[in-house]
Amino acid sequence: MTDADEPRAELRAALERERQARERLRVAEGRLAEVQSLAKIGSWELDPSTNALWWSDEIYRMFEIDPASGASYDAFLRVVHPDDRDAVLRAYAESVAAKTVYDIVHRLLMPDGRIKYVRELARTTYDHDGRPLRSAGSVQDITERQRADAALRESEERLRQAVRVSHIGIFDHDHLTGTIYWSPRQREIYGWDAEAPVTLQDFLGLVHPEDAPRIGEAVRRAHDPSGDGVWDVEHRIIRRDGAVRWVLARSQTFFDGEGPARPARTVGAVVDITEARLAEQALRLKDQAIATSLNGVGIADPEGRIVYVNPAFLRLFGHASDADVLGKTPADFADPEATRRFLEELRARGAYQGELVARRQDGTTFDVLVSANTVRDADGEIVNLMASFLDVSEAKRLQAQLLHAQKMESVGRLAGGVAHDFNNLLTVIKGYLELALSGLLPLDPLYHDLSEANTAADSAAALTQQLLAFSRKQIINPQVLNLNEVIARVRGMLPRLLGEDIELRTFLAPDLGQVRFDPGQSEQVLVNLAVNARDAMPRGGKLTIETANTSLDLTYAHDHPDVRPGDYVLLAVSDTGSGMSDDVKAHLFEPFFTTKGPGRGTGLGLAMIFGAVSQNGGRIEVYSEPGHGTTFKIYLPRVQEAAIQAWPEPRAARWHGTETILLVEDDEAVRSLAARVLVQHGYAVHAFRDGTSAMHAVGGMTEPLHLLITDVVMPEMNGPAMAQRIRALRPAIKVLFTSGYTENVIVHHGVLAEGVDFLPKPYSPESLARRVREVLDAPGH
């Protein structure tokens, strides 16, 4: 290489170095442009003295200006949003004057109306005199970030508003710093001051002492890194004002991932559930009340399908479990047509109350009282049907019994009122008929006529006694007797009553127990049952009379409330006659009810039997079917006393005497008849119309008085009251009461009081004379 070539080589080397430098600059500028494009950051330079402006390519793209038009301050101001221009100019001027960094966020307004957000940063250099030489800066498009920040701020604001108005309390515990944030609602729930700081110990100190161990364990598990960090507990708190509240707390604990895991942050929510808890408790009480109710309760959906029943419903309808009834409809438990009408009325009116004939699982039916309502939502639509059911079968049976008893009591009062006066009339009629007959020979033409009249009077008297027996107003004198003896005594007359075409059979228990029954009524019962059986067998048949010892247990007594369990004597009378329908049996013992033709019965025979059996503490039942005959079963309480001679042998002597008798009778005709009969039998008689006049007369008498005969029911002073006063004056006097109806004065529930001598009306002259003699001859009073 020559000396001339050496400068050329240096030149070429210098040119190569320049080329390489330009290449590195181009690559660097390219990289810078690429970075600016990715970061959406452009750069600019400004000569403050000349306003000469340079923009990088990214600014042209950001401002959406053609690079060929060149950069200018006017072009920049044109894209700045008009509302932000003054702020931009003022910010730049202040930074230049104060020699501080120019830093501003403002908007750009694109030609099509779009808005962009940019952030500008710039620094200005100065000469030694402090004059600005050059401003260099950057512009970054932050539109997306601004929108994200705005959305975040809006979301945060919404969250703050939601937390503010929500019933949910929010808490945030930073375990690393120990700080705890409680939202306003959280502080309100716990009764904590709005500005007072909160610590973990403060929180735990508000937990109810009884729940503290459970809460402590829940916190420990939530802070255990091996768990999921979830805490969900219902517990009680005691606010600072002393109020106890129930809260539901839920939280999530997050752990620090660096090094050994440890709790870093716990966030959660708290809800005051006191009202809900109280409502739930009240609902449980209502559920328990429904579950323990004696009434059956059922709930159905709007279509009538059962969705709930209580235990009483299952018992009422005979089901073992609710699985047997859920999904069924009311038509499965009662007549479909009746339930259809029930549901229609319920849906139309919103309520229903009435009776239905229900059906148990075993097919048996019973009467049920239904009270139902609809349950509606806020829009008035039916969401449920609810009903309660009460078995009223027993109540209706008892009501029917009560109505029957009241009816019988009314008839009894009527019978009693009639009997008093009617028996007085019959006493006079029968008395004078028998006196007239006693003075006639049987061949006398009047004898037959008067005998027929006397027989009719006897029938009238028997009719009155049947009325009193049915209404339990008849005066009875129960005695211990054996029904076998009663049957043996009556059996001799029954064939004449029954006729030749009816076979009479008896099956009598040899060891039959004793009963307490009025002897006369016991015979009446047998005779009336036999006559009733005869009329049921017009073409002949068999009449069977049986006796037996039996016992009625608690089950029988439960089904028949008027019966006490214990030992009984059974009297059964069966026939092979036409039998009875259920409708006839329902009215069988009512007075004047009869299925016989006109002139064949009064309808009082069975009513008398029912009254007599009931009055003597027994019970009568009827078993019958049309075409299969009838059986009457009478149960009388068994007694342990020995039977007495209930039917004394008649005395052959005439019943005369010479004693002095005080006769008090308010009915003048009866008084005259009785006085005449007694005088004819040799007695001295002092007769009075009332107790007052008798008392005055007795006070002035000096002769002995042996017997007081007095009617029981009299005006002003009744017979027992008068007898008590006369006995005070004459302690040795005996008393014989007479009456056709006593109004419980000398009886208790129709049973003659112990030690009382009584002659029922109507009585005959012979029965009066006989009874007077018996009382006078008896020892003591």
Side-chain angles (χ1 to χ4, degrees), residues 424-714:
N424 279 340
L425 294 174
L426 288 175
T427 299
V428 175
I429 293 170
K430 282 182 58 62
Y432 284 107
L433 283 171
E434 291 188 10
L435 289 176
L437 285 168
S438 67
L440 296 175
L441 295 175
L443 296 178
D444 191 299
L446 289 177
Y447 190 89
H448 176 268
D449 296 340
L450 294 177
S451 295
E452 289 297 319
N454 193 43
T455 301
D458 287 338
S459 298
L463 182 62
T464 305
Q465 290 304 308
Q466 285 181 327
L467 275 171
L468 291 173
F470 143 75
S471 59
R472 308 184 202 182
K473 303 295 184 181
Q474 187 180 27
I475 300 171
I476 62 174
N477 187 14
Q479 300 178 23
V480 177
L481 52 81
N482 191 291
L483 288 181
N484 286 348
E485 296 178 7
V486 178
I487 295 169
R489 184 176 177 85
V490 176
R491 197 183 194 286
M493 73 172 73
L494 290 183
R496 295 193 301 273
L497 290 173
L498 298 175
E500 296 180 354
D501 54 352
I502 295 179
E503 178 186 353
L504 174 62
R505 300 187 301 178
T506 57
F507 298 93
L508 309 181
D511 59 343
L512 191 67
Q514 318 300 332
V515 297
R516 188 181 298 277
F517 207 93
D518 183 274
Q521 282 189 321
S522 65
E523 293 182 352
Q524 284 182 308
V525 168
L526 277 170
V527 170
N528 283 344
L529 285 176
V531 171
N532 191 72
R534 178 200 65 190
D535 294 339
M537 298 183 288
R539 296 182 178 84
K542 296 179 181 179
L543 175 65
T544 303
I545 300 176
E546 303 173 76
T547 60
N549 295 317
T550 187
S551 296
L552 302 180
D553 57 16
L554 288 172
T555 301
Y556 184 92
H558 179 269
D559 296 334
H560 304 82
D562 54 339
V563 173
R564 292 183 178 180
D567 296 330
Y568 285 77
V569 169
L570 169 65
L571 169 65
V573 179
S574 305
D575 65 60
T576 58
S578 56
M580 293 177 285
S581 66
D582 290 339
D583 183 61
V584 171
K585 285 190 292 184
H587 302 280
L588 192 61
F589 297 114
E590 294 180 4
F592 310 114
F593 175 79
T594 180
T595 58
K596 303 172 185 178
R600 296 193 57 200
T602 62
L604 285 172
L606 290 176
M608 183 280 294
I609 293 172
F610 180 84
V613 171
S614 301
Q615 195 173 15
N616 285 275
R619 176 178 180 79
I620 185 169
E621 293 186 356
V622 183
Y623 303 88
S624 183
E625 292 183 15
H628 292 82
T630 300
T631 296
F632 288 88
K633 289 186 175 182
I634 296 175
Y635 298 90
L636 295 171
R638 202 185 317 172
V639 298
Q640 301 302 320
E641 304 170 46
I644 63 173
Q645 180 64 36
W647 299 271
E649 293 297 325
R651 294 172 54 181
R654 305 297 291 176
W655 298 282
H656 288 74
T658 59
E659 291 87 349
T660 302
I661 296 177
L662 190 65
L663 174 63
V664 184
E665 169 63 59
D666 63 323
D667 189 285
E668 184 176 355
V670 175
R671 184 171 68 251
S672 298
L673 173 65
R676 177 177 172 180
V677 171
L678 293 171
V679 169
Q680 286 180 348
H681 283 77
Y683 300 102
V685 178
H686 298 283
F688 301 93
R689 64 180 302 274
D690 56 44
T692 303
S693 58
M695 288 293 300
H696 288 308
V698 169
M701 290 182 183
T702 58
E703 61 184 303
L705 295 176
H706 300 91
L707 177 65
L708 167 64
I709 302 175
T710 177
D711 191 13
V712 173
V713 181
M714 293 187 299

